[in-house]
Amino acid sequence: MFEFIRANQMDIMLALCAVSTIMAFMLMITRFLPWRRKWVLVNMELSATFLLFFDRLAYIYAGDVSDVGYVMVRVSNFFVFFLTSWIVFSFDLYLVDLLNEDGKTDIIPFRLKFVGVLAIFGLALSILSQFIGLYYTFDEHNQYHRGNGFLIAYVIPVICPIIQYTVIFQYRKKFSKLINTALFLYITVPIIVGIIQIFSYGISIVNMAMVLVSVSLYVFNYLDINDEVERVHNLEMENLQNERKSMKRLFDQTATALVTAAEKKDEYSQGHSVKVAETARRIAQVAGKDADKCDEVYYAALLHNVGTLGLPDSLIGKEEDLTGFEYEVMKQKPVIGGEILSSITEYPYLSLGAHYSCERYDGKGYPDGLKGNSIPDIARIIAIADAYVSMESKKSYRDPLPAPMIREAFVMEAGAKFDPVYADIMVKLIDSGTMIGAGSDYDKLETEIRSVKYRETVSKGIEITDHVTKIYFTFTPLQSGEGSFSMPSIIVFDSFDERVHENEKSIMAYHYTEYGEIWFDGHSISTNVREMETGVTDKNSSKDTAGGALRDGGSDYMITTSKFEDHIRIVLESPDQIVEAIAALPDKTKSVFVGLTGENSFLTGIRVEKIDEVVSANDIRRIADDIDYTDRMVSDIPNLQIDRSCSAATHGIPLKDHLRIRFHSMSLPSANLVWHCPYILIFSSKDGKVDGENYVKYELLKLNGESDGSDERANNNFSVEKKSGFLGWDNWKEMCRKGIDCDVLLKRKGNTITIVTENLGIAIEDIVTVKDGNTNIYVALTGDQIALTDIRIK
């Protein structure tokens, strides 16, 4: 390496001079360094440049006996030794500036002052050496020779940096990693190279090293500037984000305060707007809107109801039995809300959301009667979210509506009251089970109930399923003595909201059906069951039974329930008796619940335990014949009765180029929802059976105009249109109960299946594109609470 440097020394020196000069120029034009540090660094870069430049001249003119050579050799060598001490002094100034600026100290360490004095002393020795030959001498051939004091010239550039480094090490935590690295290189590299220089005569590696570390000092300072700029930028961005979050919190708190004021007048409205906002955000997220748009939807929904502030107190919370005049006043609520929010000009969407939230998709809403997509998108989302929260919340005139009724409302009103796209999203959110209901005690099973009069209080229903369920509680009589009657009992029923209802309006609204009442003494009343049989067994008091003894004035009771198809079995166990009841429900479609009640009864410690035990036909004695609604003509495929959603299906029919399926459909007597109708199932499986080996579902098309939608296995391009033959949903349900003839056309081209059908004015076209490459694709008929007969394949 030394031979290479020796051979190319002049070129290397020239190149390094050029680089160092460029660095000095770059420093002069930079605007990010403090003024004093910038010019100290410029001084250091230029000093290193001139050091190497004069060192190069010394080599060039060495041995040149001309007058110019005589002068240049002496001038160049003088500046080499002079600038060596000057660089040490300049570096001392740089460290002082670092300590002042980065170290935040005005006290200059004594060691740096001492180094400064030594550097000045070195400068003086460089001048003195020109006259006494201390560092070097020249012979008659104008050749340079080291003097007797040559090593003294290296004391300052070696000892001083070591002293300087002790200061650097002491204050290292005040400097960045990059600056510490630059300082370490600036100190150590010249020292190491200087030691090597003592034994390598004829090459100027120390001065080359000085230029290199000077350049590195610039580079590391520049990198440090970049880090600092980036740090400051990140800090500014963080501050901006914090300010934005603070503003958002302030806006949120202000909006919440405004909403609270609007809802203060009606206890049933409290919390309504927050629920609407959260629901609206969910709809927007599923619709694929970005985070900013979802936030806009949230706040617009949060404030959509502020127009309530401008309504008379007599109308607050009143939604039924409005007079004509009251209704016209109520129609001003969105107008008032829009006017209130219109002053928030930074967020115009707030005013839009409030003003148009009562518009209908079919143009029959208010205040402006806008139709379809002319209604602002944000208002269409709010309308659905507001409707959902209103239906699932308790009102002064009704309890929360159950999920099936809410779902049906969105299915029926899609394209009429609601935007069909967002209504479909709402339906799918309900189906996903992720939507939170009323969230009050109304939806929870009570842990205790007190009932003085019979049926004064009834617990939430506990469902009887095909798994054994045990119900435990402690009974304490509220009256005792001669002539008093105290006993717990159960009510067996079905209801959308899993609650017992007494008045005719709620019975109709929640499709309430009561099957019977059973007491713990064996007394029973059957109402809407086909058959009920009860039996009573006295316990042997000498045996340890599950009933248990009295505890603090109460006794332990237990109820065991089970269900198989249309039969249920209920066992009531008290300390004295065991009552077994078997009932035959009207059909297999029915859900059934048990509600706890009693007379002069206080039931505490109510808890439910579901046993991992599936009920079979042998577990419940059949007391009534099976009901079959498929006693009609059988054609190409066996008739089929489907008691619950997709509980049964025809065998798979291979899908070829062209397929037409005609069949007769009749809803079961228990059917009461619009989706209680036939479904078309597109699937694949190894054996061609639904739920068979390697089963994959691609589409479930409901003839009422619903689709499962696209997923990772298939894309569905679904469209539905209500034609002139559609006479309303009540007519749809009535005609489905009477029975309709259905015609479904399926066409297949490669992996694309087109389904076309029209029934009672609901025209559907569904294009299903299978994405998983499966070629064995089948179609099957299924549904919910229907009987399919006379199925013909063409």
Side-chain angles (χ1 to χ4, degrees), residues 454-455 490-492 514-519 523-526:
Y454 178 57
R455 295 177 65 137
I490 64 170
I491 301 172
V492 186
E514 191 166 306
Y515 298 127
E517 303 161 88
I518 308 173
W519 283 259
H523 178 67
S524 65
I525 298 174
S526 63

Side-chain angles (χ1 to χ4, degrees), residues 449-457 473-480 484-490 518-524 536 557 572 574-577 579 596-603:
I449 59 170
R450 179 185 295 268
S451 184
V452 177
K453 296 180 180 180
Y454 178 57
R455 295 177 65 137
E456 179 182 10
T457 306
F473 62 88
T474 299
F475 163 66
T476 303
L478 296 178
Q479 289 185 9
S480 59
S484 64
F485 178 80
S486 297
M487 183 175 291
S489 64
I490 64 170
I518 308 173
W519 283 259
F520 275 80
D521 62 357
H523 178 67
S524 65
V536 181
Y557 282 63
L572 292 77
S574 67
D576 302 319
Q577 292 178 319
V579 178
L596 304 179
T597 187
E599 184 174 346
N600 292 316
S601 300
F602 183 38
L603 310 185

Side-chain angles (χ1 to χ4, degrees), residues 412-454:
M412 294 171 64
E413 295 290 352
K417 185 176 182 180
F418 304 121
D419 182 312
V421 174
Y422 295 131
D424 183 61
I425 290 174
M426 190 72 251
V427 168
K428 286 180 169 55
L429 285 172
I430 295 171
D431 290 344
S432 71
T434 59
M435 296 303 295
I436 300 174
S440 66
D441 292 339
Y442 184 86
D443 287 329
K444 301 174 183 176
L445 175 66
E446 300 84 348
T447 57
E448 62 179 48
I449 59 170
R450 179 185 295 268
S451 184
V452 177
K453 296 180 180 180
Y454 178 57

Side-chain angles (χ1 to χ4, degrees), residues 339-382:
E339 290 175 351
I340 292 173
L341 298 174
S342 63
S343 59
I344 308 177
T345 56
E346 287 293 318
Y347 307 115
Y349 56 85
L350 298 176
S351 177
L352 289 176
H355 186 86
Y356 297 106
S357 60
C358 294
E359 299 288 355
R360 287 175 53 104
Y361 195 77
D362 58 10
K364 297 178 182 179
Y366 59 86
D368 297 337
L370 298 185
K371 183 177 182 180
N373 292 339
S374 61
I375 305 170
D377 187 65
I378 203 166
R380 283 179 272 145
I381 295 175
I382 292 172

